Amino acid sequence: MNNKKWLILTVSIVINLCIGFAYAWSVFSKPLMVDFGWTASQASMAFTINLFVLPIAMIFAGPLVKRFGVRMVVLLGGVLFGLGLYLSGMITTVYQIYITYGLIAGSGIGLIYSITVSNTVKWFPANKGLAGGLTAGGFGAGSLIFAPLAVQFIAVQGVLGAFQTLGLIFTGVILVLGIFIAAPPVSDIASLATAVATNQSAGNVTTREMLKTPDFYLIWGLMVLGCISGLMIISQASPIGQVMVGLSPEQAAFAVGFIGLANATGRVVWGTVSDKIGRYNTLIGMFALSGAGLVALYFTNDLPLFMVGIYLIAASYGGVFGLFPSITADNFGIKYLSMNYGVVMTGLSIGAFIGPQIAAYAVEKSGGSYNLAFIITLGINIAAIILVMFAKQKNAKHQMTLVEN
């Protein structure tokens, strides 16, 4: 079992690297705006729809797994993801890319991400933060690899040709690697879960039961707040760099790739740290560093400070996805984790709408400046820290009650 779980973890990370291409959207947005005459809001909406659909697909992944198994759902996700990208290379209107890149590719990402993260957490129940962080880290690192590659394809083939080529590549890779995905035997899940039961504060709670608890809405709210700043930066990193620091498209693509590195690092590091110092202490640190990054961007006029700012924000955003699978498992158990985490991840849908639209609103209101967006999202991060402190206090009282009983 030990050798197999490491193989599955490795394969899951590579598959998530492929779907992490979604985070390279900002290198496509400006060429699309130039070729089709779209506004910043129109272009960013495709990315927003993609991430809005992602958690919805995650919810459906649970029932699909029960019927078809984890391997088939991952393979289905690979087909949808690749097909969505390929069809994006055939669009003629903005509404078509909302369907291809947004709905179809986003659905594929949601199915794959849900299964790979929740499945690896089940294989590593004693180290949920580490396993979830590493798997989610692959998703975050996708733009590090594929943003520069996409720029090269765009230069040679045009933006539509790049979509088609990458769609074919990703479909092939995911279909080959997806064959190796497997769920741990039921007996192993039961025995491993029992072995770490002393570290759990909750049993296995169904999704319906979870929705009746105030803890879910608190966790969901933190998910929303944790996504806003990161998605604002990820969706607009290339334009922000070109407008505020005067970067070339190639330099801006490097910045997008750098975001991928930060995103991936944050998922692994914060997830691992949370196993040591606790989930809520980790969240406070994440929101504080994200706020510091926004302050850096507000005052930036050179490349080094710009890179520091986007790194802090992207690493903190990445930590959300290294941390919240563990938070969900800690509070509601691992048996129904795929569907439960999918529901928690609907907070991403809200963050995916708010973050990019804040940036677009700020640009259109100020004639090109992003400073208003940085101020708004800084306030959101401060509010999030206050909410985490409340959640931490509530959790401490709950733990005390358990001890007394």
Side-chain angles (χ1 to χ4, degrees), residues 183-191:
V186 175
S187 59
D188 289 332
I189 295 176
S191 62

Side-chain angles (χ1 to χ4, degrees), residues 135-198:
T135 309
F139 189 38
S143 64
L144 174 65
I145 298 173
F146 297 119
L149 182 63
V151 169
Q152 297 303 316
F153 281 136
I154 292 170
V156 175
Q157 301 177 306
V159 65
L160 299 185
F163 273 128
Q164 291 184 325
T165 300
L166 289 167
L168 292 173
I169 292 172
F170 291 140
T171 301
V173 172
I174 295 171
L175 289 181
V176 170
L177 295 182
I179 295 172
F180 297 96
I181 297 292
V186 175
S187 59
D188 289 332
I189 295 176
S191 62
L192 288 169
T194 301
V196 297
T198 55

